[in-house]
Structures are given as C-alpha cells and as structure tokens.
Amino acid sequence: MAVNTTPEAPLPVGEVSRLIGGWIDRLGAVWVEGQITQLSRRPGAGVVFLTLRDPSYDISVSVTCYRQVFDAVADVVSEGARVVVLAKPEWYAPRGQLSLRAAEIRPVGVGELLARLEQLKKALAREGLFAPERKKPLPFLPQLVGLVCGRASAAERDVLENARHRWPAVRFEVRNVAVQGVHAVPQVVQAVKELDALDDVDVIIVARGGGSVEDLLPFSDEQLIRTVAQCRTPVVSAIGHEPDNPLLDHVADLRASTPTDAAKKVVPDVGEEYERVRQLRDRARRCVAALLDREERGLAHALTRPSIQDPHRMIDVRADQVADLLDRARRCLRHQLDRADSELSHTHARVVALSPAATLKRGYAVLQRADGHAVRDPGEVTSGEALRARVSEGEFSVRVDT
C-alpha cells in the first residue's frame, strides 16, 4: 500500500525498513535460477552464505541457507555452477538488505542445460537471427582485426601467431575479457560493442579454447547472441574445438572450428597469394604468347597470298582488261562514226540532187513577182508585168510580153 508522507511528516528510517520488510514478507517462495559466484561455508557455522548471479543482466542477490540444505548438494555444487533455488525473499531491517532464504537447491544438469539451449536456439532461429542472408562476407584482406579472447590465453596466442605468420602486416585490436564465469557475458558483450564501434576494425574474432558445456555457456547467452546479430562488422566465432557448437556459431557471419582455423579463414596466406599471382602472371604470359603466335601465323599466311607478294599483278591484269575494253570501245565508236558518215554522205547527195539549186544548174529558171512569190501559172501574170528570173548563176529582170 502507498504511504502518505510530507516534508513536515516524514517516516523514520526504521519505519520505512519495517514497511519494506512487511511487503517482502507477504511474497511467497519462488524458484530462482542463477550462477553461484561466491560461496562461504564457515567451519562449525550452521548457515551457508552464497551469491547468486544472472550473467545476462549483471545482477546478483545474496542467498542464505541452512547447512543441511547445502550439504545435500555440496558434492556437485561449487562456485561457477548453475543452480535452481527454491527460496523466500527476506528483508534484514537493521542493514536494509534483501536476501533469499533457500529451502532447496538443485544443480542444473548438462541435459537440462542442453534442452534449454535447444529451446533458445529454436526461438532465435524463428526470429531470423541465424538466417544465411543476414550473414556478411568477410573482407579479403582486413587491415585491422578485432580480437576478443582471454588474457594470455592459448586462443589469443594461436590467433595472433598464425595470422602474423600468414600475413605479417596484419594489425590487431585485442580486448582481453573473462571467457567463463559470471563476468564473461557482460565483458564479452562490451568488448564486441567497442570493436564494432571502431571504423578501422574490418572483422571481429571471438575466440576461446575448448571446455565443458558449462564453461562454454557464456557464448550461448541470449544477450551476446543479440549483440552479435546487431553488429555492422563481420563477426567470426572461434569457440572451443570442432565438436563444440555454442549458439554464437549460428549467429556469427563465419564459424571457425578452432582459433587457429579462424586466423586461417580471416587472413590470407602471403605465400599462397604470391603463388597465385605468379600463376596468374604465367597464365597471362601464355595467353599473350598464344595470341602473338596466332597473329604471326595469320600474318605469315596473309603474306603468302599472291595479292601481297605481287600487289601490281592485279593492277596489271585490270590494266590489260581496261586497255582491251578501251580498244573495243574505240573500234565500236569508229565503226559507228564511219557508218554515220556514210549515211550523212548519202543523205547529202540526195538532198543536193533534190535541191532547187541542182534544178537551176540543169538550165531551169524561177520567175518571181515583185512580192517574191514564184510564178506557177501563166494566168498569174499580166502583160507588161516586170518579173525577176532566178537562174543557177544569178538573176535578171524580164517583162511579160503577151
């Protein structure tokens, strides 16, 4: 229930603590799952103190239980183990602290862990976080590689040594984090976010050596999976050995079976690239040589053709043909001209023979009146009329005498 207070009528601290204790006392027992981070078993003490932590959200709560409750699972439970606790919340008023009073502790078995991981895997798959089309291609030659791994771990050494052996110029931005335990998830998530925010980082490798299912649990955490899914930088998962298969392998853009395999897949081998360049160069030379040989053979074949060996031969043949045609044309034209000349001569002779001048030369004369009309009928003239007589060699005047 809400409590009415004012600055003039505040509640004492003890009263506030008492009210909080009353509210918490009304809560029933709950089953809580978490990871044991601290465990205190003092010799002779009847109470065991431990801290239960949620790695995904970095939240812890104190738990107390009677020794006989913890002794029931003491052989299989230690720091770092995941457990399920039936506990009732309690409020310690003098210090204002909340804790859980455990009545039963159950260790989370491997089979149960695997079943929960399988359920989480199916749920994330339905969201499309593992879809192949979401995966980003790795750059051919990354200039700066982000590496998330344990401090001074074999995984870090394997990645750095193998990558630099393959490509000595490669640079790394390393983030050392806890790779197991309660601090692993928040530290790995923070490291991935930091590297993804760097523009110079071309690819991120998350690496860890082998381990048990419990040791690899941080790399199947839902918070880490969603963080990797949101990265704009390609992420490579190199967790454990070949049989290990945490959920990070499914959301990552590339899965490497081991940290060494990650170095081989992220960084090209300089020797192999030199050999590939050499092979391509030799192939290019062979292609160019084959092209030149083919063109030389084509040129040699062209040079053997008569038109290339004796280019004037065709011109000479054509010149003879032109000369023959020209001579033939001249003969034809001459023949046409001769025939036309003969026809013209004959026509001229006929014209001359039929012309009035020829008639006049034979002694005939043409009488013309004063108006120039020729006299064709004696009745056309009158006695005493003056006429002009036209003969072959000229003309003269005559007068009609009847």
Side-chain angles (χ1 to χ4, degrees):
M1 296 176 61
V3 178
N4 295 324
T5 60
T6 63
E8 292 74 18
L11 288 178
V13 173
E15 181 64 16
V16 173
S17 179
R18 186 188 64 79
L19 291 174
I20 294 176
W23 294 329
I24 293 177
D25 286 341
R26 287 195 291 270
L27 297 176
V30 292
W31 286 99
V32 181
E33 180 185 359
Q35 188 173 24
I36 298 176
T37 59
Q38 293 180 355
L39 178 60
S40 176
R41 299 174 62 190
R42 298 176 183 177
V47 178
V48 177
F49 298 90
L50 51 91
T51 301
L52 205 59
R53 185 182 184 88
D54 186 342
S56 299
Y57 298 97
D58 195 17
I59 297 176
S60 301
V61 63
S62 298
V63 180
T64 61
C65 65
Y66 292 111
R67 175 174 289 276
Q68 57 268 27
V69 174
F70 186 82
D71 287 344
V73 294
D75 295 336
V76 293
V77 170
S78 60
E79 288 189 3
R82 296 181 72 91
V83 294
V84 176
V85 177
L86 175 60
K88 186 179 185 305
E90 289 185 346
W91 179 257
Y92 185 60
R95 294 185 181 178
Q97 292 180 348
L98 174 68
S99 63
L100 299 177
R101 171 71 68 172
E104 183 180 352
I105 300 177
R106 295 182 184 179
V108 178
V110 174
E112 187 176 357
L113 284 175
L114 294 178
R116 293 183 182 181
L117 289 180
E118 186 63 26
Q119 292 177 357
L120 178 60
K121 177 182 176 181
K122 292 180 180 179
L124 297 177
R126 286 194 296 268
E127 293 184 26
L129 268 62
F130 303 156
E133 56 270 16
R134 295 186 72 258
K135 299 186 182 301
K136 298 175 285 294
L138 269 63
F140 167 70
L141 181 58
Q143 300 299 314
L144 182 62
V145 179
L147 176 60
V148 180
C149 58
R151 184 179 302 276
S153 62
E156 178 181 6
R157 183 178 63 254
D158 290 345
V159 173
L160 296 180
E161 290 182 357
N162 283 278
R164 287 168 179 163
H165 176 73
R166 292 172 63 84
W167 198 274
V170 66
R171 297 181 296 116
F172 280 90
E173 184 72 23
V174 181
R175 293 291 186 273
N176 294 122
V177 298
V179 292
Q180 70 180 59
V182 295
H183 301 291
V185 173
Q187 290 187 15
V188 174
V189 169
Q190 181 62 27
V192 171
K193 289 182 178 179
E194 289 179 1
L195 293 175
D196 186 52
L198 298 177
D199 295 334
D200 295 339
V201 174
D202 299 318
V203 63
I204 300 173
I205 300 176
V206 181
R208 187 202 190 282
S212 63
V213 175
E214 293 86 349
D215 293 338
L216 301 182
L217 278 179
F219 300 97
S220 294
D221 187 85
E222 182 177 359
Q223 182 184 3
L224 176 59
I225 301 306
R226 295 189 182 279
T227 299
V228 173
Q230 295 172 0
C231 286
R232 60 178 181 83
T233 308
V235 178
V236 177
S237 174
I239 306 302
H241 302 299
E242 183 66 35
D244 298 323
N245 192 21
L247 297 186
L248 179 62
D249 289 348
H250 299 280
V251 73
D253 299 292
L254 178 68
R255 177 188 182 266
S257 57
T258 61
T260 300
D261 184 51
K264 293 180 179 180
K265 290 182 176 180
V266 169
V267 180
D269 184 85
V270 64
E272 294 177 358
E273 297 306 318
Y274 274 131
E275 178 63 20
R276 185 176 292 108
V277 171
R278 186 192 64 79
Q279 293 177 358
L280 292 175
R281 184 172 60 244
D282 293 343
R283 180 181 177 184
R285 286 175 176 172
R286 290 194 298 270
C287 291
V288 173
L291 177 61
L292 292 177
D293 291 342
R294 184 172 67 250
E295 296 301 323
E296 287 180 353
R297 289 194 299 270
L299 181 60
H301 178 71
L303 291 175
T304 59
R305 298 180 64 179
S307 59
I308 300 299
Q309 291 185 337
D310 187 8
H312 296 285
R313 179 180 178 181
M314 182 181 296
I315 298 177
D316 294 340
V317 172
R318 297 300 181 186
D320 294 340
Q321 293 178 354
V322 171
D324 292 342
L325 291 175
L326 182 61
D327 183 61
R328 181 181 175 183
R330 286 174 177 172
R331 289 196 304 271
C332 291
L333 179 60
R334 188 178 300 111
H335 177 71
Q336 293 290 338
L337 292 176
D338 291 342
R339 187 173 61 183
D341 182 67
S342 176
E343 292 178 355
L344 182 61
S345 299
H346 292 160
T347 302
H348 181 266
R350 289 195 299 271
V351 169
V352 169
L354 297 175
S355 67
T359 303
L360 294 178
K361 285 183 178 181
R362 290 197 298 269
Y364 293 94
V366 177
L367 295 177
Q368 293 177 323
R369 300 178 69 179
D371 57 3
H373 287 83
V375 178
R376 293 180 178 85
D377 186 356
E380 295 179 353
V381 297
T382 58
S383 177
E385 182 179 356
L387 301 175
R388 296 192 65 79
R390 184 179 181 84
V391 294
S392 173
E393 299 300 329
E395 60 182 20
F396 53 89
S397 299
V398 296
R399 185 175 298 278
V400 177
D401 185 10
T402 57

